[in-house]
Amino acid sequence: MHPSLDPQGSVMPVVPDDVVGGVVCRWQDQDQQGRPVVRTLTASQTATLVADLKARSEPFQAMPCPAPPAGRPTLSLALTNAWGDVLAVSWSGCPGSYVYLRDGEQLRWTPSDAATTLLERIAG
């Protein structure tokens, strides 16, 4: 994994059960000032994505993967608990999967088709 894609955690560990909100960041398509485009999740979107994250995560294992399609944005999530601590969910480098840390373990999340569609719709 590329060092810039390594998932970063918060000082206080955040687990999916503690998540109450968050944002989706689109990294390839940046606005005119060169900043990533950030979209805030609604409570319903947060609940849907966290449920999918919990259901479709497994321990991370390195694997070969194809290059992402040209022009497709790279998405990541910053999910927060009630105190603002962050659970960073980063693109894994493989199309269609993300990585994050839980209790010191690196996990891979492969979103369902419905969660992928939701993420893409939110990110614009």
Side-chain angles (χ1 to χ4, degrees):
M1 180 182 308
H2 189 278
S4 66
L5 299 176
D6 286 346
Q8 301 299 312
S10 203
V11 172
M12 299 302 296
V14 178
V15 295
D17 286 337
D18 295 339
V19 170
V20 297
V23 297
V24 174
C25 302
R26 186 177 68 214
W27 293 98
Q28 284 181 338
D29 296 334
Q30 297 180 341
D31 68 15
Q32 293 81 1
Q33 290 79 36
R35 297 179 306 238
V37 177
V38 178
R39 303 278 189 249
T40 302
L41 298 169
T42 66
S44 174
Q45 292 166 337
T46 300
T48 298
L49 293 173
V50 169
D52 196 83
L53 178 85
K54 289 167 51 176
R56 298 181 53 88
S57 291
E58 60 190 13
F60 177 84
Q61 293 182 7
M63 62 182 204
C65 60
R72 187 169 184 165
T74 299
L75 304 178
S76 63
L77 294 93
L79 303 173
T80 56
N81 65 14
W83 298 274
D85 298 308
V86 176
L87 173 62
V89 181
S90 305
W91 179 58
S92 72
C94 291
S97 72
Y98 299 82
V99 293
Y100 65 100
L101 296 174
R102 183 187 67 205
D103 298 327
E105 178 183 21
Q106 189 174 21
L107 299 172
R108 178 189 309 275
W109 172 42
T110 305
S112 65
D113 290 342
T116 298
T117 299
L118 177 60
L119 280 169
E120 290 173 351
R121 190 177 79 230
I122 294 165

